[in-house]
Coordinates of all heavy atoms in Angstrom, one line a residue:
M5 N 102.7 41.3 116.1 CA 101.4 42.1 116.2 C 100.8 42.1 114.8 O 101.4 42.4 113.8 CB 101.7 43.5 116.6 CG 100.5 44.3 116.9 SD 100.7 45.6 118.1 CE 101.1 46.9 117.1
S6 N 99.5 41.7 114.8 CA 98.8 41.6 113.5 C 98.0 42.9 113.2 O 97.9 43.8 114.0 CB 97.8 40.4 113.6 OG 96.8 40.7 114.5
V7 N 97.5 42.9 112.0 CA 96.7 44.0 111.6 C 95.4 44.1 112.4 O 95.0 45.3 112.7 CB 96.3 43.8 110.1 CG1 95.4 44.9 109.6 CG2 97.6 43.8 109.2
G8 N 94.9 43.0 112.9 CA 93.7 43.1 113.7 C 94.0 43.7 115.1 O 93.2 44.5 115.6
D9 N 95.2 43.5 115.6 CA 95.6 44.1 116.9 C 95.7 45.7 116.7 O 95.3 46.4 117.5 CB 96.9 43.6 117.4 CG 96.8 42.1 117.8 OD1 95.7 41.7 118.1 OD2 97.8 41.4 117.8
V10 N 96.4 46.1 115.6 CA 96.5 47.5 115.4 C 95.2 48.1 115.2 O 94.9 49.2 115.7 CB 97.4 47.7 114.1 CG1 97.5 49.2 113.7 CG2 98.8 47.2 114.4
T11 N 94.3 47.5 114.4 CA 92.9 48.0 114.2 C 92.2 48.1 115.5 O 91.5 49.1 115.7 CB 92.2 47.1 113.2 OG1 92.9 47.0 112.0 CG2 90.8 47.7 112.9
S12 N 92.3 47.1 116.4 CA 91.7 47.2 117.7 C 92.2 48.3 118.5 O 91.4 49.0 119.2 CB 91.9 45.8 118.4 OG 91.4 45.9 119.7
I13 N 93.5 48.6 118.5 CA 94.0 49.7 119.3 C 93.6 51.0 118.8 O 93.2 51.9 119.5 CB 95.6 49.6 119.3 CG1 96.0 48.4 120.1 CG2 96.2 50.9 119.9 CD1 97.5 48.1 120.0
I14 N 93.6 51.2 117.5 CA 93.1 52.4 116.9 C 91.6 52.6 117.1 O 91.2 53.7 117.5 CB 93.4 52.5 115.4 CG1 94.9 52.5 115.2 CG2 92.7 53.6 114.7 CD1 95.4 52.4 113.7
R15 N 90.8 51.6 117.0 CA 89.4 51.7 117.2 C 89.1 52.1 118.7 O 88.3 52.9 119.0 CB 88.7 50.4 116.9 CG 87.2 50.4 117.1 CD 86.5 49.1 116.8 NE 86.7 48.7 115.4 CZ 87.1 47.5 115.0 NH1 87.4 46.6 115.9 NH2 87.3 47.3 113.7
G16 N 89.9 51.5 119.6 CA 89.7 51.8 121.0 C 90.1 53.3 121.3 O 89.4 53.9 122.1
G17 N 91.1 53.7 120.7 CA 91.5 55.1 120.9 C 90.5 56.1 120.4 O 90.2 57.1 121.0
V18 N 90.0 55.9 119.2 CA 89.0 56.7 118.6 C 87.7 56.7 119.4 O 87.1 57.8 119.7 CB 88.7 56.3 117.1 CG1 87.5 57.1 116.6 CG2 89.9 56.6 116.2
L19 N 87.3 55.5 119.9 CA 86.1 55.4 120.7 C 86.3 56.2 122.0 O 85.4 56.8 122.5 CB 85.8 53.9 121.0 CG 84.6 53.7 121.8 CD1 83.3 54.1 121.1 CD2 84.5 52.2 122.1
Q20 N 87.5 56.1 122.6 CA 87.8 56.8 123.8 C 87.7 58.3 123.7 O 87.2 59.0 124.5 CB 89.2 56.4 124.3 CG 89.6 56.9 125.7 CD 88.8 56.2 126.8 OE1 88.4 55.0 126.6 NE2 88.5 56.9 127.8
V21 N 88.3 58.8 122.6 CA 88.2 60.2 122.3 C 86.8 60.7 122.1 O 86.4 61.7 122.7 CB 89.1 60.6 121.0 CG1 88.8 62.0 120.5 CG2 90.5 60.4 121.3
L22 N 86.0 59.9 121.4 CA 84.6 60.3 121.2 C 83.8 60.3 122.5 O 83.0 61.1 122.7 CB 83.9 59.3 120.1 CG 84.4 59.5 118.7 CD1 83.8 58.4 117.8 CD2 84.1 60.9 118.2
M23 N 84.1 59.3 123.3 CA 83.4 59.1 124.6 C 83.7 60.3 125.5 O 82.8 60.8 126.3 CB 83.7 57.8 125.2 CG 82.8 57.3 126.2 SD 83.0 55.6 126.7 CE 84.6 55.7 127.4
I24 N 84.9 60.7 125.5 CA 85.3 61.8 126.4 C 84.9 63.2 125.9 O 84.4 64.0 126.6 CB 86.9 61.8 126.6 CG1 87.3 60.6 127.5 CG2 87.4 63.1 127.2 CD1 88.7 60.4 127.6
A25 N 84.9 63.4 124.5 CA 84.6 64.7 124.0 C 83.1 64.9 123.8 O 82.6 66.0 123.8 CB 85.2 64.8 122.6
A26 N 82.3 63.8 123.7 CA 80.9 63.9 123.4 C 80.1 64.8 124.4 O 79.3 65.6 124.0 CB 80.3 62.5 123.2
P27 N 80.2 64.5 125.7 CA 79.4 65.3 126.6 C 79.7 66.8 126.5 O 78.8 67.7 126.6 CB 79.8 64.8 128.0 CG 80.4 63.5 127.8 CD 81.0 63.5 126.4
L28 N 81.0 67.2 126.4 CA 81.3 68.6 126.2 C 80.8 69.2 125.0 O 80.2 70.3 125.0 CB 82.8 68.8 126.3 CG 83.6 68.4 127.5 CD1 85.1 68.5 127.4 CD2 83.1 69.1 128.7
L29 N 80.9 68.5 123.9 CA 80.5 69.0 122.6 C 78.9 69.1 122.5 O 78.4 70.1 122.0 CB 81.0 68.2 121.5 CG 82.5 68.2 121.3 CD1 82.9 67.2 120.2 CD2 83.0 69.6 120.9
L30 N 78.3 68.1 123.1 CA 76.8 68.1 123.0 C 76.2 69.2 123.9 O 75.2 69.9 123.5 CB 76.2 66.8 123.4 CG 76.4 65.6 122.4 CD1 75.9 64.3 123.0 CD2 75.7 66.0 121.1
S31 N 76.8 69.4 125.1 CA 76.3 70.5 126.0 C 76.5 71.8 125.3 O 75.7 72.7 125.4 CB 77.0 70.4 127.3 OG 78.4 70.6 127.2
A32 N 77.7 72.1 124.7 CA 78.0 73.3 124.0 C 77.0 73.5 122.8 O 76.6 74.6 122.6 CB 79.4 73.4 123.6
L33 N 76.7 72.4 122.1 CA 75.8 72.5 121.0 C 74.4 72.9 121.5 O 73.8 73.8 120.9 CB 75.8 71.2 120.3 CG 74.8 71.0 119.2 CD1 75.2 71.8 118.0 CD2 74.6 69.6 118.8
I34 N 73.9 72.3 122.5 CA 72.6 72.6 123.1 C 72.5 74.0 123.5 O 71.5 74.8 123.2 CB 72.2 71.6 124.2 CG1 72.0 70.2 123.6 CG2 71.0 72.0 124.9 CD1 71.9 69.1 124.6
V35 N 73.5 74.5 124.3 CA 73.5 75.9 124.8 C 73.6 76.8 123.6 O 72.9 77.8 123.6 CB 74.6 76.1 125.8 CG1 74.8 77.6 126.1 CG2 74.4 75.3 127.1
G36 N 74.4 76.5 122.6 CA 74.5 77.4 121.4 C 73.2 77.5 120.7 O 72.8 78.5 120.2
L37 N 72.5 76.3 120.6 CA 71.2 76.3 119.9 C 70.2 77.2 120.6 O 69.4 77.9 120.0 CB 70.7 74.9 119.8 CG 69.8 74.6 118.6 CD1 70.4 74.8 117.3 CD2 69.4 73.1 118.7
V38 N 70.1 77.0 122.0 CA 69.2 77.8 122.8 C 69.5 79.3 122.6 O 68.5 80.1 122.5 CB 69.2 77.3 124.2 CG1 68.4 78.3 125.1 CG2 68.6 75.9 124.4
V39 N 70.7 79.7 122.7 CA 71.1 81.1 122.6 C 70.8 81.6 121.2 O 70.3 82.7 121.1 CB 72.6 81.3 123.0 CG1 73.0 82.7 122.7 CG2 72.8 81.0 124.5
A40 N 71.0 80.8 120.2 CA 70.7 81.2 118.8 C 69.2 81.4 118.6 O 68.8 82.4 118.0 CB 71.2 80.2 117.8
I41 N 68.4 80.6 119.2 CA 67.0 80.8 119.1 C 66.6 82.0 119.9 O 65.7 82.8 119.4 CB 66.2 79.5 119.7 CG1 66.4 78.3 118.7 CG2 64.8 79.8 119.9 CD1 66.0 77.0 119.3
L42 N 67.1 82.3 121.0 CA 66.8 83.5 121.8 C 67.3 84.7 121.0 O 66.6 85.8 121.0 CB 67.5 83.5 123.2 CG 66.9 82.5 124.2 CD1 67.7 82.5 125.4 CD2 65.4 83.0 124.5
Q43 N 68.4 84.7 120.4 CA 68.9 85.8 119.6 C 68.0 86.0 118.4 O 67.7 87.2 118.0 CB 70.3 85.6 119.1 CG 71.4 85.8 120.1 CD 72.7 85.7 119.6 OE1 73.0 84.8 118.7 NE2 73.7 86.5 120.1
A44 N 67.5 85.0 117.8 CA 66.7 85.1 116.6 C 65.3 85.7 117.0 O 64.7 86.5 116.2 CB 66.5 83.8 115.9
T45 N 64.8 85.4 118.1 CA 63.5 85.9 118.5 C 63.6 87.3 119.0 O 62.6 88.1 118.9 CB 62.9 85.0 119.6 OG1 63.7 84.9 120.7 CG2 62.5 83.6 119.1
T46 N 64.7 87.7 119.6 CA 64.8 89.1 120.1 C 65.6 90.0 119.2 O 65.7 91.2 119.5 CB 65.5 89.0 121.5 OG1 66.8 88.5 121.4 CG2 64.7 88.3 122.5
S47 N 66.1 89.5 118.1 CA 66.9 90.3 117.2 C 68.1 90.9 117.8 O 68.6 92.0 117.4 CB 66.0 91.4 116.5 OG 65.0 90.8 115.8
I48 N 68.7 90.3 118.8 CA 70.0 90.7 119.4 C 71.1 89.9 118.7 O 71.1 88.7 118.8 CB 70.0 90.5 120.9 CG1 68.9 91.3 121.6 CG2 71.3 90.9 121.5 CD1 68.7 91.0 123.1
Q49 N 72.0 90.6 118.1 CA 73.1 89.9 117.4 C 74.4 90.3 118.0 O 75.3 90.9 117.4 CB 73.1 90.3 115.9 CG 71.8 89.9 115.2 CD 71.6 88.4 115.2 OE1 72.5 87.6 115.2 NE2 70.3 88.0 115.4
E50 N 74.6 89.9 119.2 CA 75.8 90.1 120.0 C 76.7 88.9 120.0 O 76.2 87.8 120.4 CB 75.5 90.6 121.4 CG 76.7 90.9 122.2 CD 77.5 92.1 121.8 OE1 76.9 93.0 121.2 OE2 78.8 92.0 121.9
Q51 N 77.9 88.9 119.6 CA 78.8 87.8 119.5 C 79.1 87.2 120.8 O 79.2 86.0 121.0 CB 80.1 88.1 118.7 CG 79.9 88.4 117.3 CD 79.3 87.2 116.5 OE1 79.7 86.1 116.8 NE2 78.5 87.5 115.5
T52 N 79.3 88.0 121.8 CA 79.7 87.5 123.1 C 78.5 86.8 123.8 O 78.7 86.0 124.7 CB 80.2 88.6 124.1 OG1 79.2 89.6 124.2 CG2 81.5 89.3 123.5
L53 N 77.3 87.1 123.4 CA 76.2 86.4 123.9 C 76.2 84.9 123.6 O 75.6 84.1 124.4 CB 74.9 87.1 123.4 CG 73.6 86.7 124.1 CD1 73.7 87.1 125.6 CD2 72.4 87.4 123.5
T54 N 76.8 84.5 122.5 CA 76.9 83.1 122.2 C 78.1 82.5 122.8 O 78.1 81.3 123.2 CB 76.9 82.8 120.7 OG1 78.0 83.5 120.1 CG2 75.6 83.3 120.1
F55 N 79.2 83.2 122.9 CA 80.5 82.7 123.3 C 80.5 82.4 124.9 O 80.9 81.3 125.3 CB 81.6 83.6 122.9 CG 83.0 83.2 123.3 CD1 83.6 82.1 122.7 CD2 83.6 83.8 124.4 CE1 84.8 81.7 123.0 CE2 84.9 83.3 124.7 CZ 85.5 82.3 124.1
V56 N 80.1 83.4 125.6 CA 80.2 83.3 127.1 C 79.4 82.1 127.7 O 80.0 81.3 128.5 CB 79.9 84.6 127.8 CG1 79.8 84.5 129.3 CG2 80.9 85.7 127.3
P57 N 78.1 81.9 127.3 CA 77.4 80.8 127.9 C 78.0 79.4 127.5 O 78.0 78.5 128.3 CB 76.0 80.9 127.3 CG 75.9 82.3 126.9 CD 77.2 82.8 126.5
K58 N 78.6 79.3 126.3 CA 79.2 78.1 125.9 C 80.5 77.8 126.7 O 80.7 76.6 127.1 CB 79.6 78.1 124.4 CG 78.5 78.0 123.4 CD 79.0 78.0 122.0 CE 78.0 78.1 121.0 NZ 78.5 78.2 119.7
V59 N 81.2 78.8 127.0 CA 82.5 78.6 127.8 C 82.1 78.2 129.2 O 82.7 77.3 129.8 CB 83.3 79.9 127.8 CG1 84.4 79.8 128.8 CG2 83.9 80.2 126.4
F60 N 81.1 78.9 129.8 CA 80.6 78.5 131.1 C 80.1 77.1 131.2 O 80.3 76.3 132.1 CB 79.6 79.5 131.7 CG 80.3 80.8 132.1 CD1 79.7 82.0 131.8 CD2 81.4 80.8 132.9 CE1 80.3 83.2 132.2 CE2 82.0 82.0 133.3 CZ 81.4 83.2 132.9
T61 N 79.3 76.7 130.1 CA 78.8 75.3 130.1 C 79.9 74.3 130.0 O 79.8 73.3 130.7 CB 77.9 75.2 128.9 OG1 76.8 76.2 129.0 CG2 77.3 73.8 128.8
I62 N 80.9 74.6 129.2 CA 82.0 73.6 129.1 C 82.8 73.5 130.4 O 83.1 72.4 130.8 CB 82.9 74.0 127.9 CG1 82.2 73.7 126.6 CG2 84.2 73.2 127.9 CD1 82.9 74.2 125.4
L63 N 83.0 74.6 131.0 CA 83.7 74.6 132.3 C 82.8 73.8 133.4 O 83.4 73.1 134.2 CB 84.0 76.0 132.8 CG 85.0 76.8 132.0 CD1 85.2 78.2 132.5 CD2 86.4 76.0 132.1
L64 N 81.5 74.0 133.4 CA 80.7 73.3 134.3 C 80.7 71.8 134.0 O 80.8 71.0 134.9 CB 79.2 73.8 134.2 CG 78.2 73.1 135.1 CD1 78.5 73.4 136.5 CD2 76.8 73.6 134.7
M65 N 80.6 71.4 132.7 CA 80.7 70.0 132.4 C 82.0 69.4 132.8 O 82.1 68.3 133.2 CB 80.4 69.8 130.9 CG 79.0 70.2 130.5 SD 77.8 69.2 131.3 CE 78.0 67.6 130.5
L66 N 83.1 70.2 132.6 CA 84.4 69.7 133.0 C 84.5 69.5 134.5 O 85.1 68.5 135.0 CB 85.5 70.6 132.6 CG 86.0 70.5 131.1 CD1 87.0 71.6 130.8 CD2 86.6 69.2 130.9
A67 N 83.8 70.4 135.3 CA 83.8 70.2 136.7 C 83.0 69.0 137.1 O 83.4 68.3 138.1 CB 83.3 71.5 137.4
L68 N 81.9 68.8 136.4 CA 81.0 67.7 136.8 C 81.6 66.3 136.3 O 81.5 65.3 137.1 CB 79.6 67.9 136.2 CG 78.8 69.1 136.8 CD1 77.5 69.2 136.0 CD2 78.6 68.8 138.3
L69 N 82.1 66.3 135.1 CA 82.5 65.0 134.5 C 84.0 64.8 134.4 O 84.5 63.8 133.9 CB 81.9 64.9 133.1 CG 80.4 64.9 133.0 CD1 79.9 64.9 131.6 CD2 79.8 63.8 133.8
G70 N 84.8 65.8 135.0 CA 86.2 65.7 134.8 C 86.8 64.4 135.5 O 87.7 63.8 135.0
G71 N 86.3 64.1 136.7 CA 86.8 62.9 137.3 C 86.5 61.6 136.5 O 87.4 60.7 136.4
W72 N 85.3 61.5 135.9 CA 85.0 60.4 135.1 C 85.9 60.3 133.8 O 86.3 59.3 133.4 CB 83.5 60.4 134.7 CG 83.2 59.5 133.6 CD1 83.0 58.1 133.7 CD2 83.0 59.7 132.2 NE1 82.7 57.6 132.5 CE2 82.8 58.5 131.6 CE3 83.1 60.9 131.5 CZ2 82.5 58.5 130.2 CZ3 82.9 60.8 130.1 CH2 82.6 59.6 129.5
M73 N 86.1 61.5 133.3 CA 86.9 61.6 132.1 C 88.4 61.1 132.3 O 88.9 60.3 131.6 CB 87.0 63.0 131.5 CG 85.7 63.5 130.9 SD 85.8 65.2 130.4 CE 84.3 65.4 129.6
L74 N 88.9 61.6 133.4 CA 90.3 61.2 133.8 C 90.4 59.7 134.1 O 91.3 59.0 133.8 CB 90.8 62.1 134.9 CG 91.1 63.5 134.6 CD1 91.5 64.3 135.8 CD2 92.2 63.6 133.5
T75 N 89.4 59.2 134.9 CA 89.3 57.8 135.2 C 89.2 56.9 134.0 O 89.9 55.9 133.8 CB 88.2 57.5 136.2 OG1 88.3 58.3 137.3 CG2 88.2 56.0 136.6
S76 N 88.4 57.3 133.0 CA 88.2 56.6 131.8 C 89.5 56.6 131.0 O 89.9 55.5 130.4 CB 87.1 57.2 131.0 OG 86.9 56.5 129.8
L77 N 90.1 57.7 130.9 CA 91.4 57.8 130.2 C 92.5 57.0 130.8 O 93.3 56.4 130.2 CB 91.8 59.3 130.0 CG 92.9 59.6 129.0 CD1 92.5 59.1 127.6 CD2 93.1 61.1 129.0
Q78 N 92.5 57.0 132.2 CA 93.5 56.3 132.9 C 93.3 54.8 132.7 O 94.3 54.1 132.5 CB 93.4 56.6 134.4 CG 94.3 55.9 135.3 CD 94.1 56.1 136.8 OE1 93.1 56.8 137.1 NE2 95.0 55.7 137.6
D79 N 92.1 54.3 132.7 CA 91.8 52.9 132.5 C 92.2 52.5 131.1 O 92.8 51.4 130.9 CB 90.3 52.6 132.7 CG 89.9 52.7 134.2 OD1 90.7 52.7 135.1 OD2 88.7 52.8 134.4
Y80 N 92.0 53.3 130.1 CA 92.4 53.0 128.8 C 93.9 52.9 128.6 O 94.4 52.0 128.0 CB 91.8 54.0 127.8 CG 92.3 53.8 126.4 CD1 91.8 52.7 125.6 CD2 93.2 54.6 125.8 CE1 92.2 52.5 124.3 CE2 93.7 54.3 124.5 CZ 93.2 53.3 123.8 OH 93.6 53.0 122.5
T81 N 94.6 53.9 129.2 CA 96.0 53.9 129.2 C 96.7 52.7 129.9 O 97.6 52.1 129.4 CB 96.6 55.2 129.8 OG1 95.9 56.3 129.1 CG2 98.1 55.4 129.6
I82 N 96.1 52.4 131.0 CA 96.6 51.2 131.8 C 96.4 49.9 130.9 O 97.3 49.1 130.8 CB 96.0 51.1 133.2 CG1 96.5 52.2 134.1 CG2 96.2 49.7 133.8 CD1 95.8 52.3 135.4
N83 N 95.2 49.8 130.3 CA 95.0 48.7 129.5 C 95.9 48.6 128.3 O 96.4 47.6 127.9 CB 93.5 48.7 129.0 CG 93.1 47.5 128.2 OD1 93.8 46.5 128.2 ND2 92.0 47.6 127.5
L84 N 96.2 49.8 127.7 CA 97.1 49.8 126.6 C 98.5 49.4 127.0 O 99.2 48.7 126.3 CB 97.1 51.3 126.0 CG 97.7 51.5 124.6 CD1 96.9 50.6 123.6 CD2 97.7 52.9 124.2
F85 N 99.0 49.9 128.2 CA 100.3 49.5 128.7 C 100.4 48.1 129.0 O 101.5 47.4 128.9 CB 100.7 50.4 129.8 CG 101.3 51.8 129.4 CD1 100.9 52.9 130.1 CD2 102.1 51.9 128.4 CE1 101.3 54.1 129.8 CE2 102.6 53.2 128.0 CZ 102.2 54.3 128.7
M86 N 99.3 47.5 129.5 CA 99.3 46.1 129.8 C 99.4 45.2 128.5 O 99.9 44.1 128.6 CB 98.0 45.7 130.6 CG 97.9 46.4 131.9 SD 99.2 45.9 133.0 CE 98.4 44.6 133.9
R87 N 99.0 45.8 127.4 CA 99.1 45.0 126.1 C 100.5 45.1 125.5 O 100.7 44.4 124.5 CB 98.0 45.5 125.2 CG 96.6 45.2 125.6 CD 95.6 45.8 124.7 NE 95.7 45.1 123.4 CZ 94.8 45.4 122.4 NH1 93.9 46.3 122.6 NH2 94.9 44.7 121.3
I88 N 101.4 45.9 126.0 CA 102.7 46.1 125.4 C 103.5 44.8 125.3 O 104.1 44.4 124.3 CB 103.5 47.2 126.1 CG1 102.9 48.5 125.8 CG2 105.0 47.1 125.7 CD1 103.6 49.7 126.5
P89 N 103.5 43.9 126.3 CA 104.2 42.7 126.2 C 103.7 41.8 125.1 O 104.4 41.1 124.4 CB 104.1 42.0 127.6 CG 103.9 43.1 128.5 CD 103.1 44.1 127.7
D90 N 102.4 41.8 124.9 CA 101.7 41.0 123.8 C 102.1 41.6 122.5 O 102.2 40.8 121.5 CB 100.2 41.0 124.0 CG 99.8 40.3 125.3 OD1 100.6 39.4 125.7 OD2 98.7 40.6 125.8
M91 N 102.3 42.9 122.4 CA 102.7 43.5 121.1 C 104.1 43.1 120.7 O 104.4 43.1 119.5 CB 102.6 45.0 121.2 CG 101.2 45.5 121.4 SD 101.2 47.3 121.5 CE 99.7 47.6 122.3
A92 N 105.0 42.8 121.6 CA 106.4 42.5 121.3 C 106.5 41.1 120.7 O 107.5 40.8 120.1 CB 107.2 42.6 122.6
R93 N 105.5 40.3 120.9 CA 105.6 38.9 120.4 C 105.3 38.9 118.9 O 104.6 39.5 118.3 CB 104.7 38.0 121.1 CG 105.1 37.9 122.6 CD 104.2 37.0 123.3 NE 104.5 37.1 124.7 CZ 103.6 36.8 125.6 NH1 102.4 36.3 125.3 NH2 104.0 36.9 126.9

């Protein structure tokens, strides 16, 4: 197994993590930004007001995209296991 193969595997893993985490993080970021703007305009500084909508947004995104996330992770894992015989050479 060459350095290029190891680099390819690591690059694929990092890309997979970013691809799976990005929708959750972006949706939480957008909701947090909207709530922060609402808090700034109304002068309400309640901590749970930012936490609860983010949690519900992440749960909603997991419900909507969970199947895609698991399928994507499954495809990557199967591809990685299929490469094991090539790694032994």
